[in-house]
Amino acid sequence: MLLLVSGASGVGKTTARLHARHLFERRQLDSTYETAELFTLGPIPAVPTIAWRQQQVETAVRRAIALEAEGRHLLFAGDPVPVGEALAAPSADRIDIAACLLDADEETHLARLARRAEPEELIPLHRGFAAWLRAHATDPGHVPEAVTTDSWEEMRWERWVGRTPGPEWAMTVLDTSRLTPEQAGAAVADWCRRAVAGEAPVFRAGWFK
């Protein structure tokens, strides 16, 4: 299974992934779950593009497929990859995909961005993307151009673009506003367990047919 943790910059994706990985190691589950983010899948270009990101998502999907053959799973977290990009990756029809959106209230998000010394002119973009991800979690028809514009030509957007909200479009949303890094990591690790066990929403391979 591909376990995607999505979210805007500053909500805690990388931190949660690292703490979840430590939990996997302590519980001797590191042979079951492999973790990755974009920079672990290949070099990052000087000017990353949407198309490049989507090509790397396909790399993650293919890695998840290879791990599944061994009875293992890939936790892909740390980058602002929307679930729609993962589902539209060319090979995504061959693997179950579960998605968890990490979110935070405005005050917490702004404070985290400030601690990262994000340029002031980028703050509205980060906040706008957070709002779009929040809507995308429940409505595939909400401004799909946010990810389809300037996209990689191999993406299979027809799998979900044009759909309306429905029970087949579901993911887990986790509010990290009041969670410590350790608690966020534990919550992500528990979500992984629940998704694999069928206790959390999962897009099953070929769900769109």
Side-chain angles (χ1 to χ4, degrees), residues 1-6 24 32-34 36 64 72-77 95-100 188-189 191-196 201-202:
M1 182 180 291
L2 174 63
L3 298 150
L4 171 69
V5 173
S6 184
F24 294 151
T32 301
Y33 298 97
E34 183 175 298
R72 304 173 65 200
H73 312 283
L74 180 66
L75 172 59
F76 184 40
I95 188 79
D96 290 349
I97 297 176
C100 178
V188 166
W191 166 74
C192 289
R193 178 196 62 76
R194 291 187 292 108
V196 169
V202 176

Side-chain angles (χ1 to χ4, degrees), residues 26-203:
R26 289 210 308 267
R27 297 171 182 173
Q28 298 184 329
L29 293 173
D30 47 319
S31 61
T32 301
Y33 298 97
E34 183 175 298
T35 68
E37 59 182 285
L38 291 181
F39 82 90
T40 71
L41 299 173
I44 298 179
V47 183
T49 63
I50 291 175
W52 168 82
R53 182 181 73 209
Q54 292 164 354
Q55 291 169 2
Q56 292 297 86
V57 172
E58 168 68 3
T59 299
V61 168
R62 291 184 180 181
R63 179 57 184 162
I65 292 170
L67 288 172
E68 185 176 59
E70 305 170 2
R72 304 173 65 200
H73 312 283
L74 180 66
L75 172 59
F76 184 40
D79 307 284
V81 174
V83 65
E85 284 190 336
L87 296 173
S91 300
D93 58 343
R94 299 165 49 198
I95 188 79
D96 290 349
I97 297 176
C100 178
L101 175 67
L102 299 192
D103 201 4
D105 61 43
E106 182 175 9
E107 180 181 1
T108 302
H109 193 196
L110 290 174
R112 290 176 180 174
L113 291 172
R115 286 198 295 272
R116 289 170 44 156
E118 286 286 340
E120 192 66 29
E121 64 272 18
L122 295 183
I123 300 300
L125 296 178
H126 291 311
R127 291 295 302 150
F129 192 53
W132 180 83
L133 285 169
R134 206 171 292 127
H136 183 63
T138 58
D139 182 5
H142 180 74
V143 195
E145 311 87 74
V147 289
T148 61
T149 301
D150 298 323
S151 65
W152 181 32
E153 63 274 9
E154 298 296 324
M155 297 294 278
R156 301 293 303 275
W157 301 117
E158 70 276 8
R159 291 174 183 163
W160 60 266
V161 169
R163 286 179 176 267
T164 56
E168 76 283 354
W169 188 268
M171 59 187 294
T172 299
V173 178
L174 178 62
D175 188 344
T176 66
S177 303
R178 302 294 174 262
L179 299 181
T180 65
E182 293 79 10
Q183 289 171 333
V188 166
D190 182 64
W191 166 74
C192 289
R193 178 196 62 76
R194 291 187 292 108
V196 169
E199 299 170 1
V202 176
F203 292 89

